[in-house]
């Protein structure tokens, strides 16, 4: 395989991953009674990683099951965080996104942010 073929294959894989990501975000947006704060979806090498915050444990499993059934050839990694307090405060989403992006050059994970909050 020459370099041109490798580049074309990588570009095709990136395009397919991007299309899958958009499809997932659209699907999540239309599920009734389901709100995800700071949703994050990444698709790489057949693995879909889902992040964000939901307000109930059942919603985390429910979302994972929906994605797994709709994407049978993909592995779904569920990194959703369950935190009810965020849904009580209307400014939580903006504060959470700001906190995620203030990690001295690298983004903090949602789990690290929640650990910081819980250790106070």
């Amino acid at each position: 395989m020459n370099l041109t073929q490798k580049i074309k294959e990588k570009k095709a894989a990136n395009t397919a991953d991007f299309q899958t990501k958009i499809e997932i975000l659209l699907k999540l947006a239309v599920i009734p009674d389901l709100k995800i704060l700071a949703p994050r979806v990444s698709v790489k090498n057949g693995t879909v990683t889902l992040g964000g915050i939901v307000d109930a444990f059942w919603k985390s499993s429910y979302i994972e099951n929906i994605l797994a059934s709709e994407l049978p050839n993909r592995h779904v990694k569920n990194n959703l965080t369950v935190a009810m307090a965020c849904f009580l405060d209307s400014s939580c989403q903006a504060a959470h996104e700001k906190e995620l992006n203030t990690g001295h050059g690298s983004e903090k994970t949602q789990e690290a942010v929640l650990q910081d909050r819980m250790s106070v």
Side-chain angles (χ1 to χ4, degrees):
M1 181 182 302
N2 65 30
L3 183 60
T4 304
Q5 289 173 323
K6 287 182 181 179
I7 292 171
K8 285 181 181 179
E9 286 180 9
K10 184 169 175 100
K11 185 176 180 181
N14 288 342
T15 300
D17 287 348
F18 181 74
Q19 288 174 338
T20 301
K21 178 180 177 175
I22 297 301
E23 289 173 15
I24 291 168
L25 288 170
L26 289 172
K27 178 67 177 173
L28 294 175
V30 298
I31 298 174
D33 300 323
L34 190 66
K35 183 177 179 184
I36 302 174
L37 292 177
R40 295 183 189 277
V41 175
S42 67
V43 181
K44 187 172 182 177
N45 299 328
T47 299
V48 175
T49 304
L50 179 62
I53 302 172
V54 293
D55 65 342
F57 287 105
W58 71 267
K59 290 182 181 181
S60 176
S61 297
Y62 179 69
I63 293 167
E64 181 180 356
N65 290 339
I66 288 174
L67 293 181
S69 69
E70 299 222 359
L71 304 166
N73 299 327
R74 303 268 186 170
H75 171 71
V76 178
K77 184 176 177 185
N78 185 346
N79 286 345
L80 288 169
T81 301
V82 179
M84 289 195 58
C86 282
F87 287 83
L88 300 175
D89 181 1
S90 62
S91 64
C92 180
Q93 183 173 2
H96 178 70
E97 288 177 356
K98 180 180 177 186
E99 192 170 8
L100 280 174
N101 294 317
T102 58
H104 299 299
S106 63
E107 289 189 352
K108 291 172 95 176
T109 65
Q110 293 172 352
E111 290 77 18
V113 169
L114 289 175
Q115 285 292 345
D116 288 349
R117 290 179 184 172
M118 290 170 47
S119 65
V120 175

